[in-house]
Amino acid sequence: MKERVSILDGNTFLVCDRQGDIEPSFDFPTGLFSFDTRFLSTWLLTLDGQRLHALSIDDAQSYRTRFFLVPGEPTHYLDAKVSVIRSRSIGGSFAEELTVLNHSEREVEFALRLDMGADFADLFEIKHERQKKGRTSPTVGDNELRLSYRREGFHREVVISTSARGEIDDRGMTFRIRVGRHGEWTTRLHVATNIYGARGEDIRATLPLGGRRGAADIHAEQNDLIDRAPKLGCDCQSLAGAYRRSLNDLAALRYESITLGVRLLAAGLPWFMTLFGRDSLFTSLQLLPFLPALVPPTLLMLAGLQGSRLDDFRDEEPGKILHELRYGETAGFEEQPHSPYYGSADSTPLFVILLDEYERWTGDAGLVRKLESQARAALNWIDTYGDLLGTGYVWYMTRNPETGLQNQCWKDSWDSVSYRDGRLPAFPRATCELQGYAYDAKLRGARMARRIWNDPAYADRLEREAAELKKRFNRDFWIPERGYYALALDPEGRHIDALSSNIGHLLWSGIVDESRAVSVAEHLLGPRLFSGWGVRTLADDQGRYNPIGYHVGTVWPFDNSIIAWGLWKYGFREEAGRICESVVSASRFFDGRLPEAFAGYERDLTDYPVQYPTACSPQAWSAGTPLLLLRVMLGLEPQGEHLIIDPAVPEGMGRVELLDIPGRWGRVDALGRSRSPHDDTRGH
């Protein structure tokens, strides 16, 4: 498998191979992307007609990279008389400095060629291998190549300029250079991406940052964000490395929204560099105790785009929170429904959950008051449009069978919801975790209604509905002969009886009867679900199990962080610690950056977690995972004006200490100690 190298600044990012090259490919998509459009599809460097090979790559920073290269095959490295350094950075635009070094005793002439091309492909066109419908035209200037794409009113452009004189044609630039003995030659290339609006101006020009930033600006902003987070002191190098990498990645994934001009977190590179309802809400829950200032923009953006009408194409319904927002060509011409698209059944209750959790941590009742109508609309959606069959459960079935998502739970791939024997059920479907989220949302809505909205009657109603839902759920979803909850109900109310990681989300929501919690925990940590590196998405004896199947056997770090949180909530400190240890241990094999998912093979089978071939990395809710695991290990839980500390630090982790934790109680220190689950203290 080829290795990708990436740099990013929010949703402007570049993906290339180990040589720094970009070539058109559906199998190995690379390029320079911004706001869902690929602005460079070819960026290929040769020296005297030869491709270059990497000696080393310096990619310690998320926004800049250096490649140390030599021409020829690897067997000729020792005789290389010339080397090339590609130094690049990204910050709204893309810059690359090319340096050719002559290591010989005589002057040498070279022909340095950089092939350039832009297909202006929409991300969905790359994923689904679709052809372009507009027209690209090149314009050659004295020191620049301008490539422009138009399709009716849709206009995108890339301008590539150079600091050195060269021969420029409509497919790239050639530099015929002479380098003295032990000398060097350098040129600086700048790539500007233009996203034109109806008035012929770049639509990012009116944003506070204008879509243009330098490496120094990015470095300063990322450091400022990291400095605001609590300081971690611990004996576990894997945990320390994962924490630092997570903060760096969360800082790098922030981008400026065209819609409202606020800073948001993109969901994941390369396919999901935009706002997602579910992903953004879960990531906000993970990072809340560490970087609470990042949460309000997400809540405000999602509230501002809350569904207000019935729109079958977009799966929009009144009160529903969006699934995904795109800015590309296919969304603009309604070839995809993502402008925005509302095809998720979980983002709406999660919106209410996050709003309440944010206030519990920060004491910011003002935001809860400001978003009261949106929260009420979300709660109303649960009982109306969410309950497709009128059974008191949240169901989903797309209104758009052509381009809508079939599965609208977090496992949203086509085959993720199945019976134990592998058969796929009909629609609509009611997955178990959706009911847990709805239960939690009602209780949290009741809390906000009673404490902040001054509506005790509404609070009483929501609490009554939550209690009824919990009783009904434990009756209808429990499979007594197997001792676990069904993955879902089918349209006839029958159990979709696969054993899956979804039952861990039920613990997090609190909908599990206390009498059944032990059985759920045993299944989660049992050999069928627990690989040793984490809980698999699907148990290994189920019909559709595949250790490298996207949602049918892989291990998702985000999923495990929610499961660990749920185990902790039900008092399973040792079990929660085992989840934390397994995922933290896995992180060191990914240089601290947990990917979207990795294979579900047994830990005894491999000495390291096996990569999932197309996993997003970095991904926001994977970057948020070490933060939530830290919360679980330290047992941090807000309770009124106090912070409860009830540790679940796993055996062997040693000292784990967070300093300067922000919250409504001021900033406090918290200390977690190995194997001290009964040590309760209060921070003020």
Side-chain angles (χ1 to χ4, degrees):
M1 183 178 69
K2 292 184 179 180
E3 181 179 341
R4 294 178 178 90
V5 180
S6 61
I7 52 175
L8 73 153
D9 171 33
N11 68 353
T12 297
F13 63 97
L14 184 141
V15 183
C16 63
D17 63 20
R18 282 186 53 81
Q19 286 64 246
D21 288 331
I22 296 169
E23 296 181 84
S25 171
F26 288 113
D27 297 329
F28 184 77
T30 56
L32 172 65
F33 299 84
S34 187
F35 286 92
D36 301 319
T37 297
R38 179 161 61 185
F39 285 88
L40 285 179
S41 54
T42 301
W43 192 257
L44 178 61
L45 184 65
T46 56
L47 190 68
D48 286 341
Q50 285 188 299
R51 297 286 295 269
L52 302 173
H53 297 271
L55 295 174
S56 182
I57 303 171
D58 177 6
D59 61 349
Q61 300 291 337
S62 60
Y63 53 88
R64 63 186 179 195
T65 311
R66 284 194 298 176
F67 300 82
F68 297 87
L69 310 163
V70 293
E73 295 300 322
T75 54
H76 299 151
Y77 281 173
L78 294 178
D79 294 328
K81 298 298 191 294
V82 61
S83 62
V84 178
I85 301 175
R86 305 178 84 164
S87 302
R88 57 179 49 163
S89 63
I90 199 163
S93 57
F94 164 57
E96 178 162 280
E97 183 178 86
L98 297 176
T99 302
V100 180
L101 298 99
N102 176 14
H103 305 300
S104 71
E105 293 288 337
R106 60 184 180 85
E107 183 179 81
V108 184
E109 294 183 356
F110 299 104
L112 185 75
R113 171 72 179 177
L114 192 58
D115 290 321
M116 304 167 177
D119 62 2
F120 297 98
D122 185 284
L123 274 172
F124 286 100
E125 292 172 326
I126 298 171
K127 290 182 73 173
H128 303 300
E129 301 189 23
R130 299 173 182 168
Q131 297 300 311
K132 297 299 297 179
K133 298 181 179 179
R135 184 174 62 88
T136 301
S137 57
T139 304
V140 176
D142 288 341
N143 287 301
E144 71 175 30
L145 172 61
R146 184 180 298 261
L147 301 171
S148 183
Y149 175 81
R150 289 182 182 270
R151 178 184 172 191
E152 299 177 20
F154 187 87
H155 184 193
R156 301 290 186 265
E157 187 176 70
V158 60
V159 182
I160 308 163
S161 57
T162 174
S163 65
R165 300 290 296 182
E167 301 168 11
I168 303 177
D169 57 62
D170 59 7
R171 293 187 177 182
M173 301 179 181
T174 301
F175 302 95
R176 304 193 184 279
I177 60 178
R178 181 176 296 172
V179 186
R181 57 188 295 271
H182 296 293
E184 64 181 57
W185 172 91
T186 298
T187 186
R188 287 173 294 279
L189 299 152
H190 183 266
V191 181
T193 61
N194 295 319
I195 302 174
Y196 291 113
R199 298 180 180 179
E201 298 178 350
D202 192 310
I203 59 179
R204 296 167 296 179
T206 58
L207 299 177
L209 298 178
R212 312 286 192 223
R213 300 196 298 164
D217 299 321
I218 299 171
H219 183 71
E221 183 189 60
Q222 291 187 6
N223 281 345
D224 175 67
L225 187 72
I226 293 167
D227 287 343
R228 281 186 272 156
K231 304 302 180 287
L232 173 65
C234 67
D235 299 327
C236 177
Q237 292 185 355
S238 296
L239 179 60
Y243 182 65
R244 179 71 186 188
R245 190 65 180 259
S246 291
L247 294 177
N248 282 329
D249 284 342
L250 290 168
L253 285 166
R254 296 178 75 203
Y255 77 100
E256 201 170 17
S257 163
I258 289 177
T259 308
L260 293 181
V262 297
R263 300 283 281 165
L264 302 167
L265 279 170
L269 187 151
W271 301 117
F272 307 123
M273 298 299 286
T274 187
L275 175 70
F276 274 71
R278 174 191 307 120
D279 297 52
S280 300
L281 290 161
F282 269 123
T283 304
S284 295
L285 285 164
Q286 291 171 320
L287 63 79
L288 179 52
F290 301 83
L291 295 166
L294 299 188
V295 175
T298 296
L299 285 167
L300 290 167
M301 184 72 167
L302 293 174
L305 295 171
Q306 188 174 31
S308 60
R309 59 181 180 173
L310 288 176
D311 184 334
D312 290 351
F313 179 65
R314 293 177 177 82
D315 270 328
E316 181 180 358
E317 295 161 348
K320 200 174 186 182
I321 297 298
L322 67 81
H323 169 62
E324 182 177 357
L325 175 64
R326 293 288 182 175
Y327 302 94
E329 180 179 346
T330 59
F333 284 91
E334 295 194 346
E335 295 160 355
Q336 295 286 147
H338 297 75
S339 56
Y341 178 55
Y342 292 83
S344 66
D346 49 6
S347 56
T348 306
L350 288 171
F351 173 82
V352 180
I353 291 168
L354 175 62
L355 181 61
D356 175 70
E357 188 74 4
Y358 171 75
E359 193 279 332
R360 291 176 71 233
W361 269 98
T362 65
D364 183 3
L367 187 62
V368 176
R369 294 188 188 97
K370 183 175 183 178
L371 299 182
E372 178 182 352
S373 63
Q374 290 88 348
R376 286 176 180 262
L379 289 162
N380 185 61
W381 177 89
I382 292 172
D383 295 327
T384 54
Y385 297 101
D387 187 3
L388 286 173
L389 299 185
T391 59
Y393 294 126
V394 177
W395 301 80
Y396 63 79
M397 182 171 69
T398 181
R399 294 173 173 269
N400 176 1
E402 292 185 3
T403 54
L405 280 172
Q406 294 183 44
N407 278 315
Q408 300 191 355
C409 51
W410 87 258
K411 296 176 181 175
D412 56 8
S413 54
W414 68 276
D415 63 343
S416 65
V417 178
S418 66
Y419 296 101
R420 189 168 178 266
D421 60 10
R423 291 177 296 118
L424 297 179
F427 291 95
R429 299 169 180 172
T431 58
C432 64
E433 80 283 359
L434 291 177
Q435 319 319 315
Y437 302 161
Y439 168 79
D440 195 14
K442 285 178 180 289
L443 288 181
R444 290 171 180 270
R447 176 186 172 275
M448 292 185 287
R450 182 169 284 112
R451 293 172 56 91
I452 300 171
W453 300 336
N454 194 28
D455 192 344
Y458 185 44
D460 290 343
R461 188 191 110 194
L462 289 172
E463 287 172 346
R464 183 173 62 254
E465 291 172 352
E468 292 169 353
L469 173 57
K470 182 173 183 177
K471 181 179 179 180
R472 184 170 59 248
F473 173 83
N474 279 277
R475 179 194 69 206
D476 295 343
F477 275 76
W478 184 250
I479 309 176
E481 65 273 20
R482 299 208 174 99
Y484 60 81
Y485 292 94
L487 168 57
L489 298 183
D490 66 17
E492 285 72 43
R494 294 185 302 241
H495 290 148
I496 302 172
D497 56 353
L499 174 58
S500 72
S501 65
N502 301 54
I503 60 175
H505 291 232
L506 299 177
L507 291 174
W508 171 61
S509 71
I511 200 171
V512 174
D513 273 348
E514 291 286 345
S515 62
R516 293 169 175 169
V518 171
S519 181
V520 172
E522 288 175 348
H523 278 293
L524 289 167
L525 276 300
R528 292 187 291 167
L529 276 174
F530 189 64
S531 74
W533 297 115
V535 179
R536 302 181 181 95
T537 43
L538 188 66
D540 65 4
D541 61 346
Q542 307 298 289
R544 286 194 174 267
Y545 171 72
N546 179 350
I548 51 173
Y550 195 54
H551 287 131
V552 291
T554 51
V555 173
W556 285 60
F558 133 77
D559 190 26
N560 277 263
S561 72
I562 299 299
I563 292 168
W565 195 2
L567 288 164
W568 182 89
K569 283 189 171 187
Y570 272 78
F572 298 107
R573 300 292 186 265
E574 183 176 348
E575 291 82 355
R578 283 185 65 194
I579 301 290
C580 294
E581 185 281 329
S582 66
V583 178
V584 169
S585 294
S587 71
R588 70 186 179 94
F589 295 97
F590 300 103
D591 295 325
R593 174 184 283 171
L594 286 164
E596 177 184 24
F598 51 85
Y601 296 116
E602 285 289 335
R603 189 167 181 171
D604 291 343
L605 183 63
T606 63
D607 293 329
Y608 50 85
V610 175
Q611 292 191 31
Y612 180 75
T614 58
C616 288
S617 183
Q619 192 192 43
W621 64 12
S622 291
T625 290
L627 278 60
L628 181 50
L629 295 181
L630 267 170
R631 174 178 175 175
V632 171
M633 284 188 280
L634 293 176
L636 305 181
E637 184 68 17
Q639 189 175 94
E641 299 301 317
H642 301 290
L643 175 64
I644 304 304
I645 304 170
D646 189 0
V649 178
E651 187 77 59
M653 188 73 71
R655 178 181 61 98
V656 180
E657 182 181 19
L658 274 181
L659 304 176
D660 227 13
I661 303 169
R664 68 193 308 156
W665 41 81
R667 299 184 73 95
V668 301
D669 295 350
L671 176 66
R673 290 162 295 278
S674 179
R675 307 299 294 168
S676 53
H678 304 295
D679 181 24
D680 295 351
T681 58
R682 295 178 184 266
H684 299 274

